[in-house]
Amino acid sequence: MDIVEELLKGNRLALSRAITAIENEYDDAVEIMKKLYPHTGHAFVLGITGPPGAGKSTLTDKLAKAYRAQGKTVGIIAIDPTSPFTGGAILGDRIRMNGLTMDEGVFIRSMGTRGSLGGLSHKTADAIKAMDAFGKDVIFVETVGVGQSEVDIVKAADTTMVVLIPGMGDDIQAIKAGILEIGDVFTINKADHDGADKLVRELNMMLDLDAHSEQMTQNSTEKALADQFHHLNVAKHAAGAAWRPPIQKVIASQNEGVAETIENIEKHFKYISENGILQQRRTERSKNEMLDVLHNNIGTYITRRLADTGELEEYVGQIKRRETDPYTVVADIMRDMLKE
Amino acid sequence: MEKRIRVLVAKPGLDGHDRGAKVVARALRDAGFEVVYTGLRQTPEQIAEAALQEDVNVIAMSILSGAHPHLFPKVVDLVRKNGMDDVLIIGGGVIPETDIPALKEAGVSEVFTPGTPTGSIVDFIKANVK
Ligand code: B12
Ligand SMILES: Nc1nc2c(ncn2[C@@H]2O[C@H](COP(=O)(O)OP(=O)(O)O)[C@@H](O)[C@H]2O)c(=O)[nH]1
Ligand SMILES: [Mg+2]
């Protein structure tokens, strides 16, 4: 089977095989991506993140159905953690999405994090592109938690939705910085549980404070620091009035608040489209993509060469005996390479 | 290369016994496999489609209700029709010994009955997966 040709014709098995090639880093993955690349750039990508059990998959199911009702085709990438001890994973997101399986306009793929932090975002980005080239109008990427790896994955999204639930206690404080930065749209799910209104109030306060402190730190020495921390959102305040992330109460399991959530998502997309932020984000993404491949390829190339010539082992020995240090060694290697 | 064995653990039909499926799913995860679990009450069509979208190497079905003579072969049939010729298909649950030859004839590679140590399921998959 010619994977690319078949994928572009709408063959679902070909799409599936392409994603496998990406995930497993098969030799043909690069060729596949090269040929798919011209066909990408059309899909709207929504990142969905939040703590485990918040109802992300349940909500994804409902969102997907709503988009399908609008006649749009949907791709879903559901990422679950791989056990660091065994390398295995239980990928259970489909349990909440069984109603979508037989809809030909929906394609769901589960992925394990496989312990590769940087690598995962790279693979996720390529899996998104495969679905994009396949012709999906909307692509959801569900990830657990809001750690660094999620921030990376979120870079692949046009709009990022953070799903929180009442009763998380102090957790919200702990993940505050992370969620405030990456959320374009907030969803308080399980609004049928106590504490939803309290959480909405807390979150509102934090978001207002955040917007306020950003104004305060303009022109101050803190600005550099804040900018670094806010690198994901630099584009947020680029033009026009700043985007204030909306908060919506939802009961995903009862399909309540879903229409409003979609309105928020669409409002955000309209906002970033009209303010040039979408273009900026996509430019940033193209740059990251290129640099990712560059770093990856150069790193692999040099490592392989050093290993083949036996220099790697030699250097490691010298460093271990404290005859030299990693910085000097790498500077030497770079000098030699650049001379060639 | 980072190939990892992917397994779909599925419960076809209306049978609500899911302990065995969960025990098997966990054992396979602990053996380092990626296990896609889709929950109860799956139609053969849903199982075949999920297997296709997930590009799994193994489909592992569990039935304790007695519906295996109809459901197992149906899934094999649909999966092969989808062009997934290499997928290893196995089953387990409360299945009389006398039914097993017909299931194997239909394309189910192995059948595991109550009391099977999970280690032998892992070994079988490792030895037979393509
Ligand atoms: C626990 C149990 C229940 C629990 C189920 C809880 C649950 N969530 O799973 C409850 C009380 C709910 C229940 C209900 C019923 N049960 Co019941 N139940 C059992 C019982 C006692 C044990 C099953 C079990 O959990 N075993 C433990 C697990 C770990 O073992 P296992 O599933 O066999 O799995 C092992 C292997 O078979 C194999 N395996 C299993 N699946 C797979 C899949 C793959 C891919 C692989 C590789 C291996 C594999 O590996 C596992 C590890 O060794 C069995 C009798 C028995 N001894 O099997 C009856 C039994 C299965 N139940 C039976 C019946 C009739 C019912 C009911 C219809 C009773 C009723 N009239 O209401 C209901 C129907 C429920 C429903 N919705 O479908 C019958 C089925 C008869 C048949 N097949 O012809 C049995 C056999 C009892 C009997 N002897 O009559 N049941
Ligand atoms: N009470 C309540 N439960 C919900 C709601 N949404 C999802 N759930 C349940 O929460 C559990 C976890 O949902 P899931 O979608 O798997 O969460 P995820 O881990 O974030 O993907 C499931 O049992 C859902 O049925 C809701 O709005 N209210
Ligand atoms: Mg989930």
Side-chain angles (χ1 to χ4, degrees):
Chain A
M1 175 166 71
D2 181 329
I3 289 185
V4 171
E5 200 175 293
E6 287 296 314
L7 185 155
L8 293 174
K9 269 197 259 170
N11 179 333
R12 300 203 305 292
L13 183 58
L15 171 58
S16 197
R17 293 273 149 92
I19 298 175
T20 303
I22 292 163
E23 260 205 303
N24 292 348
E25 297 176 343
Y26 287 155
D27 290 338
D28 58 348
V30 171
E31 274 314 305
I32 292 174
M33 287 317 298
K34 273 190 202 168
K35 290 184 189 144
L36 291 182
Y37 205 90
H39 303 274
T40 63
H42 306 291
F44 166 64
V45 183
L46 176 73
I48 301 173
T49 191
K56 299 180 295 297
S57 299
T58 310
L59 183 57
T60 300
D61 176 65
K62 301 298 190 293
L63 290 172
K65 281 180 181 141
Y67 276 107
R68 288 294 294 139
Q70 294 179 15
K72 296 193 170 124
T73 55
V74 173
I76 298 171
I77 298 172
I79 303 169
D80 277 322
T82 295
S83 156
F85 304 108
T86 65
I90 293 195
L91 311 174
D93 297 307
R94 295 189 81 101
I95 297 175
R96 317 280 173 226
M97 308 182 195
N98 275 317
L100 299 173
T101 309
M102 294 319 292
D103 179 346
E104 278 204 31
V106 180
F107 190 101
I108 307 171
R109 183 60 172 251
S110 314
M111 288 169 80
T113 54
R114 298 194 183 180
S116 56
L117 285 178
L120 177 66
S121 57
H122 178 70
K123 288 175 187 180
T124 311
D126 283 354
I128 290 171
K129 283 200 206 79
M131 287 192 176
D132 187 351
F134 184 80
K136 292 303 183 194
D137 299 317
V138 184
I139 298 168
F140 301 108
V141 183
E142 178 191 332
T143 59
V144 172
V146 275
Q148 183 57 44
S149 61
E150 286 70 35
V151 172
D152 283 348
I153 291 159
V154 152
K155 281 185 192 161
D158 297 315
T159 297
T160 297
M161 178 168 77
V162 172
V163 183
L164 299 172
I165 44 173
M168 297 191 307
D170 291 338
D171 289 3
I172 188 168
Q173 295 296 337
I175 55 178
K176 180 174 95 171
I179 57 170
L180 290 185
E181 289 319 310
I182 65 176
D184 295 313
V185 170
F186 286 86
T187 296
I188 307 300
N189 192 37
K190 306 201 183 181
D192 50 329
H193 288 180
D194 287 344
D197 289 320
K198 182 166 166 270
L199 180 55
V200 171
R201 271 197 308 277
E202 279 177 11
L203 198 55
N204 264 322
M205 231 159 65
M206 286 180 195
L207 288 170
D208 289 338
L209 243 160
D210 185 52
H212 185 61
S213 68
E214 253 172 61
Q215 279 164 12
M216 298 277 290
T217 53
Q218 297 291 324
N219 307 320
S220 81
T221 43
E222 283 170 46
K223 189 170 179 302
L225 198 71
D227 270 357
Q228 249 188 350
F229 203 57
H230 292 199
H231 65 285
L232 261 173
N233 283 353
V234 280
K236 261 190 185 172
H237 309 278
W243 173 257
R244 165 58 156 78
I247 305 171
Q248 177 62 45
K249 281 195 289 177
V250 171
I251 308 174
S253 50
Q254 291 164 37
N255 208 11
E256 268 181 45
V258 173
E260 292 85 343
T261 301
I262 290 190
E263 256 172 55
N264 285 340
I265 293 166
E266 285 176 350
K267 249 185 243 160
H268 179 259
F269 188 68
K270 189 162 176 280
Y271 170 80
I272 59 174
S273 305
E274 287 173 357
N275 284 289
I277 296 171
L278 180 65
Q279 282 317 312
Q280 248 175 286
R281 282 190 182 187
R282 289 188 171 171
T283 306
E284 184 73 8
R285 205 178 300 160
S286 299
K287 182 176 144 197
N288 285 338
E289 273 167 24
M290 202 206 98
L291 293 180
D292 255 12
V293 176
L294 182 74
H295 295 165
N296 206 353
N297 287 7
I298 291 184
T300 311
Y301 172 77
I302 297 181
T303 311
R304 202 173 287 158
R305 246 183 70 158
L306 291 176
D308 286 351
T309 57
E311 285 168 282
L312 183 61
E313 223 174 304
E314 212 173 290
Y315 283 133
V316 171
Q318 289 171 7
I319 294 169
K320 200 179 142 215
R321 293 191 295 274
R322 297 294 186 273
E323 293 163 13
T324 181
D325 59 87
Y327 312 97
T328 308
V329 165
V330 171
D332 286 351
I333 294 170
M334 299 265 292
R335 207 186 40 239
D336 287 350
M337 291 274 169
L338 292 175
K339 242 187 269 162
E340 285 170 20
Chain B
M1 262 213 351
E2 238 198 294
K3 184 171 165 61
R4 206 149 305 189
I5 297 173
R6 287 168 66 86
V7 186
L8 175 67
V9 171
K11 285 281 313 166
L14 302 175
D15 171 23
H17 295 91
D18 62 357
R19 262 189 222 166
K22 284 178 172 164
V23 166
V24 170
R26 232 166 284 142
L28 298 184
R29 180 211 39 203
D30 292 344
F33 301 168
E34 277 181 0
V35 181
V36 180
Y37 182 58
T38 49
L40 291 169
R41 283 179 267 282
Q42 303 289 298
T43 64
E45 287 79 9
Q46 280 177 312
I47 293 170
E49 182 59 29
L52 179 144
Q53 293 178 7
E54 299 291 350
D55 199 12
V56 291
N57 311 102
V58 184
I59 300 174
M61 293 179 283
S62 177
I63 298 188
L64 281 75
S65 66
H68 53 271
H70 165 63
L71 292 171
F72 281 178
K74 184 87 197 284
V75 172
V76 176
D77 206 38
L78 290 167
V79 168
R80 301 299 181 223
K81 261 196 203 124
N82 277 343
M84 297 182 79
D85 303 322
D86 287 346
V87 186
L88 179 69
I89 302 182
I90 58 177
V94 177
I95 294 163
E97 286 297 326
T98 47
D99 289 355
I100 294 179
L103 293 176
K104 286 193 172 173
E105 182 74 17
V108 180
S109 292
E110 192 52 90
V111 175
F112 300 86
T113 50
T116 311
T118 52
S120 60
I121 301 170
V122 172
D123 292 343
F124 181 84
I125 292 176
K126 281 185 175 162
N128 292 280
V129 71
K130 286 190 196 94

